[in-house]
Amino acid sequence: MINQKPRVRFAPSPTGYLHIGGLRTALYNYLFAKNTGGQFVLRIEDTDRNRFVEGATEQLIDVLKFIGLEDFEGPGNEGDFGPYIQSERLEIYHDHANQLIENGHAYRCFCSQERLLNLREEQQKQKLPQVKYDKHCLYLSDEVKKQKFESGESFVVRLNIRPGIKVIFNDIVRDRVEFDRDTIDDQVLIKSDGFPTYHLANVVDDHLMKITHVIRGEEWLTSTPKHVILYEAFGWELPKFAHLPLLLNPDKSKLSKRQGDVAVEDYLAKGYLKEALINFVALLGWSAGEQKDFYTLNELIQKFTLERVHKAGAVFNVEKLSWLNAEHIRAKSIDELLNYVKQELPNTKYKNGNYPDAYLKSAIESMKERLNFVTDIFEKSFYYFEPPTSYDEAIVAKRWKERSAELLLKLAEAFEMIDEPTKENFEFALHTVAEKNEVGNGQLIHPLRLAISGIGVGPGVYDIVLTIGKDETIRRIKSAVETIKFE
RNA sequence: GGCCCGUUGGUGUAACUGGUUAACACGUCGCCCUUUCACGGCGAAGAGUACGGGUUCGAGUCCCGUACGGGUCACCA
């Protein structure tokens, strides 16, 4: 057991999307597994039939694979401990529940919803410190139990918590955590529909799947003593626990839908790169202890340790995510970016345009450092995809002077003469025209930018000219001269 | 309310087993570069480590208490 390779699991319930907190949990499990040479297991916890969402499991797996955590043992990649979908393991849970009933660690409870409700109300009225099941069915006589069971009366199976010493366990993130046994309720293990609850299923599966480290969100910390008691009841060795700090809304409450996007799919749809998402989420609750923020998945794998996981919850700060996204864009090669751009092009109004790869690459080259999202290229530098149809009024007012039209026409003539279209030649031509007409370069540069792009910001003018080409530049100059009036 | 966990600039984090003026990044502001914008560079403001005690020559680091925040108390995970 000592030198066993770690086995960890990400055990989401298929809700229809991957929660950003789920991504973080999955990532830490994955990083830990990869870092230690262990195995990352994916298990689908679909024991709540009321929340069944068609196709959710497939969707979850797709997103996980897309984002780069594709190397898992689980559905579609069976190992020796399947099935990996809990709804396909019902018999296993029943066998184990029965085992617990036999040795007295669990019992059948026939109480109606109504009685449970009344009990709860009653206890609340009495201002009891805590609402707990009263073990009513544990104390039924054997005959009554037998009779109810055999007559097919609906029941649940409850864990029988007995008085005893404190439940103490060690958490890798939080060190020692302890709970009094009498604060623990007789948790339902098997629901009346025959499905197990999370508590039973997770313990049984973690044991059977030989999970060595349970790495999950802090919201599970308070139910961990129940799990510890279950391990005890089965006589199983305890896995190591690591409860991760929560991801928080700006107001410090648990990250939720109400206060912004929470699905990984949403962020992907908005144009965040998976690299940025991984990088950002990894830093929420962990750091390598170095003064650096940019990491690739491989670097994270090399650096990750559970010991360096932080204890306090972390606010999800979209601004830093956006910065990281821009950083990851800048780190990509032009060819990689070309793929993204071509992938997105059909979703834009320029889908019918014809843009050769070399053209797009030139445009990307000039815009790379100015993009926060790859799709920004279609907005911020629309002029690469269509000629300007209007001219920014503020820029016109500021840069379009009395002689601008005349000078631009002369510039167009000079451009016309250029045989070899290079940045240097365009620049030289502009300088020459400026000199001959005794004006500063700015008198040409700014009107030129306005004429060919319609706006006042963007890459260097010569870069734009080079990308759209000599002929198109001249066309745009002529068109601008006709449209823009000096006032 | 009970129980559990937490608390370093606005945000994410750093600060080896206690040892000099608490570091880095995002964000903000300013300057430089660029006849634009962005990138980049430089600099600034912003916490004295929730608060109060204690231990110690010395505490963000250890102990106790308080406050505040969060999580959890389902036949949901």
Side-chain angles (χ1 to χ4, degrees):
Chain A
M1 218 55 186
I2 295 295
N3 292 316
Q4 192 185 358
K5 286 282 184 200
R7 285 175 59 81
V8 295
R9 85 300 196 275
F10 174 50
S13 80
T15 52
Y17 62 89
L18 178 57
H19 192 281
I20 203 89
L23 172 65
R24 207 274 309 261
T25 302
L27 180 64
Y28 282 16
N29 272 282
Y30 179 85
L31 295 177
F32 177 74
K34 288 293 172 193
N35 177 273
T36 56
Q39 182 64 50
F40 176 58
V41 177
L42 174 66
R43 184 174 69 224
I44 303 297
E45 311 231 331
D46 59 343
T47 56
D48 185 355
R49 289 193 305 174
N50 298 320
R51 288 212 205 165
F52 180 79
V53 178
E54 184 73 43
T57 299
E58 293 72 15
Q59 157 94 2
L60 194 66
I61 291 174
D62 285 348
V63 176
L64 233 35
K65 283 183 173 171
F66 173 80
I67 211 136
L69 311 187
E70 72 268 273
D71 181 19
F72 58 77
E73 170 185 316
N77 185 28
E78 311 294 311
D80 302 329
F81 307 94
Y84 294 86
I85 296 180
Q86 291 186 329
S87 59
E88 295 170 13
R89 302 170 61 82
L90 262 28
E91 241 179 88
I92 298 172
Y93 307 125
H94 281 132
D95 291 347
H96 285 84
N98 287 145
Q99 189 182 318
L100 254 29
I101 291 173
E102 274 163 36
N103 65 203
H105 285 292
Y107 59 96
R108 293 193 181 86
C109 170
F110 300 91
C111 288
S112 64
Q113 291 285 359
E114 199 191 358
R115 186 178 116 76
L116 259 22
L117 215 66
N118 290 152
L119 182 68
R120 217 163 286 159
E121 277 175 19
E122 187 59 32
Q123 292 181 341
Q124 275 165 356
K125 213 178 292 174
Q126 288 181 43
K127 295 226 190 308
L128 256 40
Q130 190 189 183
V131 173
K132 269 169 68 180
Y133 180 61
D134 61 358
K135 289 182 184 282
H136 175 262
C137 291
L138 176 65
Y139 303 123
L140 258 26
S141 71
D142 288 350
E143 290 95 290
V144 176
K145 283 182 185 167
K146 194 169 176 228
Q147 179 267 319
K148 281 180 179 284
F149 181 56
E150 284 173 357
S151 69
E153 210 172 296
S154 172
F155 67 90
V156 300
V157 176
R158 284 183 186 275
L159 178 62
N160 181 18
I161 305 279
R162 286 178 284 201
I165 54 166
K166 285 187 173 188
V167 178
I168 299 169
F169 59 90
N170 212 65
D171 188 280
I172 296 174
V173 177
R174 284 151 222 290
D175 297 328
R176 177 191 167 103
V177 183
E178 53 177 70
F179 294 81
D180 277 322
R181 280 178 127 90
D182 57 21
T183 62
I184 306 168
D185 199 4
D186 278 8
Q187 187 58 235
V188 170
L189 301 177
I190 300 277
K191 299 179 258 187
S192 57
D193 63 4
F195 277 66
T197 57
Y198 170 84
H199 308 284
L200 204 226
N202 121 39
V203 166
V204 168
D205 287 345
D206 283 346
H207 177 258
L208 262 24
M209 294 180 180
K210 298 206 176 343
I211 299 302
T212 57
H213 301 253
V214 172
I215 305 168
R216 74 228 306 187
E218 195 194 334
E219 66 263 37
W220 294 110
L221 191 61
T222 42
S223 48
T224 302
K226 289 169 187 169
H227 307 158
V228 171
I229 288 171
L230 275 168
Y231 280 100
E232 279 173 6
F234 283 118
W236 294 339
E237 187 183 348
L238 224 51
K240 287 196 166 39
F241 291 104
H243 286 94
L244 310 176
L246 258 22
L247 260 36
L248 273 25
N249 291 311
D251 73 355
K252 305 257 184 193
S253 57
K254 187 166 139 183
L255 190 65
S256 71
K257 242 180 186 168
R258 279 245 60 136
Q259 299 189 40
D261 289 319
V262 57
V264 172
E265 290 90 329
D266 290 337
Y267 287 92
L268 257 14
K270 279 186 176 176
Y272 287 101
L273 297 172
K274 60 182 180 184
E275 290 87 348
L277 235 28
I278 293 273
N279 187 165
F280 176 63
V281 131
L283 264 21
L284 256 25
W286 172 85
S287 89
E290 17 178 53
Q291 317 234 24
K292 129 175 188 166
D293 292 282
F294 185 96
Y295 290 92
T296 62
L297 222 207
N298 281 331
E299 288 174 317
L300 291 171
I301 288 171
Q302 286 175 358
K303 303 276 170 70
F304 188 82
T305 60
L306 285 173
E307 285 70 24
R308 290 199 62 91
V309 171
H310 210 244
K311 289 178 168 68
V315 173
F316 187 90
N317 177 211
V318 194
E319 282 181 337
K320 188 150 186 183
L321 204 211
S322 294
W323 169 74
L324 268 174
N325 201 58
E327 288 289 298
H328 278 273
I329 286 175
R330 285 174 213 129
K332 285 196 176 297
S333 69
I334 300 297
D335 284 313
E336 275 179 289
L337 292 174
L338 174 66
N339 283 333
Y340 283 106
V341 169
K342 285 169 80 173
Q343 206 174 298
E344 288 301 324
L345 194 56
N347 304 322
T348 71
K349 59 177 168 175
Y350 308 118
K351 61 179 168 228
N352 296 319
N354 176 36
Y355 312 102
D357 284 3
Y359 180 80
L360 290 176
K361 279 161 94 162
S362 173
I364 292 167
E365 180 89 67
S366 75
M367 284 299 291
K368 190 175 172 181
E369 289 170 351
R370 283 161 253 259
L371 301 175
N372 293 316
F373 297 100
V374 174
T375 48
D376 279 352
I377 197 166
F378 302 113
E379 326 256 316
K380 287 186 175 172
S381 55
F382 62 88
Y383 44 82
Y384 283 136
F385 302 92
E386 61 178 357
T389 50
S390 65
Y391 303 90
D392 187 314
E393 283 176 34
I395 304 300
V396 171
K398 186 175 175 191
R399 307 289 196 187
W400 198 265
K401 304 288 169 39
E402 198 171 356
R403 292 185 66 197
S404 293
E406 169 214 337
L407 290 168
L408 273 190
L409 255 12
K410 285 183 177 158
L411 180 63
E413 277 172 35
F415 280 175
E416 192 76 66
M417 315 281 281
I418 293 175
D419 293 326
E420 202 190 337
T422 62
K423 256 165 86 167
E424 291 69 27
N425 287 342
F426 285 120
E427 190 168 353
F428 181 73
L430 187 141
H431 288 341
T432 309
V433 172
E435 210 171 305
K436 275 187 187 161
N437 292 277
E438 298 180 313
V439 296
N441 295 329
Q443 294 302 309
L444 281 166
I445 290 175
H446 297 297
L448 174 60
R449 168 185 299 285
L450 183 64
I452 62 179
S453 76
I455 55 177
V457 300
V461 244
Y462 308 113
D463 288 309
I464 304 179
V465 169
L466 188 68
T467 301
I468 65 176
K470 179 174 111 177
D471 296 344
E472 179 63 15
T473 300
I474 293 169
R475 256 196 300 280
R476 291 187 185 186
I477 287 176
K478 288 181 175 163
S479 158
V481 165
E482 278 169 29
T483 314
I484 307 175
K485 298 279 173 276
F486 170 72
E487 287 179 22

